[in-house]
Amino acid sequence: MSLPLTRKDLMIVNMGPQHPSMHGVLRLIVTLDGEDVIDCEPILGYLHRGMEKIAENRTIIQYLPYVTRWDYLATMFTEAITVNAPEFLENIQIPQRASYIRVIMLELSRIASHLLWLGPFMADLGAQTPFFYIFRERELIYDLFEAATGMRMMHNYFRIGGVAADLPYGWIEKCLDFCDYFLRGVVEYQQLITQNPIFLERVEGVGFISGEEAVNWGLSGPMLRASGIQWDLRKVDPYESYNQFDWKVQWQKEGDSLARYLVRVGEMRESIKIIQQAVEKIPGGPYENLEVRRFKKEKNSEWNDFEYKFLGKKPSPNFELSRQELYVRVEAPKGELGIYLVGDDSLFPWRWKIRPPGFINLQILPQLVKKMKLADIMTILGSIDIIMGEVDR
Amino acid sequence: MNLIEFPLLDQTSSNSVISTTPNDLSNWSRLSSLWPLLYGTSCCFIEFASLIGSRFDFDRYGLVPRSSPRQADLILTAGTVTMKMAPSLVRLYEQMPEPKYVIAMGACTITGGMFSTDSYSTVRGVDKLIPVDVYLPGCPPKPEAVIDALTKLRKKISREIVEDRTLSQNKNRCFTTSHKLYVRRSTHTGTYEQELLYQSPSTLDISSETFFKSKSSVPSYKLVN
């Protein structure tokens, strides 16, 4: 693969780490030939805080506040994966109501994340107005979160075996109101953006990824689904109670930035559909598993069997992780968010490997921006949807 | 609809006199247009962005976010500052024109917050790097809290005396010793993919010194290929 070098005086431009369209602290070193990008080297690590190492010195309940600082746009997903890992490891069941509350929170969080993707993405393309539109809706989601969890962003809401608190009185109606309001909002976005000729000119055919390439690079989430592959972990590897709702996987086959935009906007609509169904048929009962079952170490015992062991009424703060290992994953707004957890019969995880979707998706950036124009870097980087908190961890 | 009318100055006040001092006037004009640098490393920046949004709308305090440090008066250190990011933050602060103000936003930039123990890479408090005017706690602080911090900063600016300001500028502004940031040999030569593809041998040996000199002496194509 040899690039035709028309001119020899190449220019090396440094973008970041402090740059308004670098979505945090990504740094790109771009080699330019005129306005054509010849080479691009991403430099990471400006927000590396050692999250995986910190996890090895924290119990799960102590570590829960940290996880919302990975992906601070889709905070609920990081909490979900953090409690799912020990739950699957110790085979803890959660009550239906807790599962429904989790689904509602996760989908609200997905909308919040996609909204805060849409605004800066459009701002990168030069359209500032949608940034103000999305904050109008996003603040309402924050209000819902604040009413239920007490915090706007860093909720610390999920617990092993359920959630920290039940939904407050009247929250369900507020949530339904929001759903109706938000569907109108999405229509407004689509009228404003989707048919906009300037927007189409900037995104159509930019940053093309074929389906095969997307699989080979290990992409996930909207990046993968925009390349014609119908892979959504909520369908493929169902968790919580997603199989009880009627919704469709959003996908496009074009594989360019426009397709990624369409997938994300479609996902917001589908999320609203899921929330409406979940709110409609949310069951009563406890919001937290009051009986933790713990297996004897020699062999697995059945639920309610002789060897079935009750350890406490609630999952205790010093929840012990047995000597097993597993990989769990959820479909976060940015892709597959996974945890590889190794327990060691101790309170702390022996290893807590995070598989952040943004980090894996970012790998393809140097290939995508090559032979494109300088201004297309923002489009492509924006359409990848990264958050440096989870890329660097 | 709108019953409350905007209080227009009535005719009699057109001839009135406002007495002030140059000091107060400069303080007043300074505090009414604090342009913040659009600086954000992590979570706090999302709340900072909410302030730009229509609900909190901090333009009404005269805060127009700027992307260039050379146009900014104020930096809110929104988000965790790691040791890798620290030189960049100091450089940004140094590039801002005087008078400049710093709000340490969030627990991470006050003491290191939740990363003050067991993290091997975060800076324990941004005041080890740059002088801080207002400490704004929270993880992350709500937008209302940011507005509160801005009000406190405005109050601080309004009480400033010009002579004190010039005196303190001449002295060392930082409480700690001056930073010794060395420019090390850069490994980022812009030939990231080309090294892999072409196996070009020469590019790795270019140190940053030759890179800086290259404008005058070395033809630049030698550097790249």
Side-chain angles (χ1 to χ4, degrees), chain A residues 18 31 44 48 58 66 146, chain B residues 38 84 114 118 121 142 190:
Chain A
Q18 204 276 323
T31 312
L44 311 176
H48 178 70
R58 298 281 186 279
Y66 284 86
E146 195 174 0
Chain B
L38 205 57
K84 190 169 179 179
M114 67 198 321
D118 287 347
S121 59
K142 293 179 76 169

Side-chain angles (χ1 to χ4, degrees), chain A residues 105-122:
Chain A
M105 289 300 175
L106 288 177
E107 292 308 314
L108 279 177
S109 193
R110 185 185 310 277
I111 295 172
S113 172
H114 281 337
L115 280 179
L116 203 49
W117 163 79
L118 180 65
F121 175 61
M122 294 305 293

Side-chain angles (χ1 to χ4, degrees), chain A residues 7 9-19 21-22 26-43 369 373-375 377-378, chain B residues 186 188-192 211 215 223-224:
Chain A
R7 290 188 305 171
D9 52 340
L10 301 176
M11 183 185 254
I12 299 176
V13 177
N14 174 49
M15 287 174 79
Q18 204 276 323
H19 188 279
S21 68
M22 282 297 122
L26 177 64
R27 181 175 170 206
L28 295 179
I29 292 187
V30 187
T31 312
L32 295 174
D33 176 17
E35 215 180 326
D36 298 323
V37 179
I38 289 191
D39 203 351
C40 168
E41 177 183 1
I43 297 163
V369 298
K373 299 284 183 206
L374 176 63
I377 293 180
M378 281 78 175
Chain B
S186 173
H188 314 301
T189 48
T191 49
Y192 172 56
F211 178 63
K215 274 188 180 171
L223 289 172
V224 184

Side-chain angles (χ1 to χ4, degrees), chain B residues 96-113:
Chain B
M96 281 162 58
E98 294 278 353
K100 48 193 173 185
Y101 303 96
V102 180
I103 295 181
M105 180 178 176
C108 289
T109 56
I110 298 176
T111 61

Side-chain angles (χ1 to χ4, degrees), chain B residues 1-6:
Chain B
M1 284 295 283
N2 194 2
L3 293 175
I4 305 165
E5 283 187 15
F6 192 77

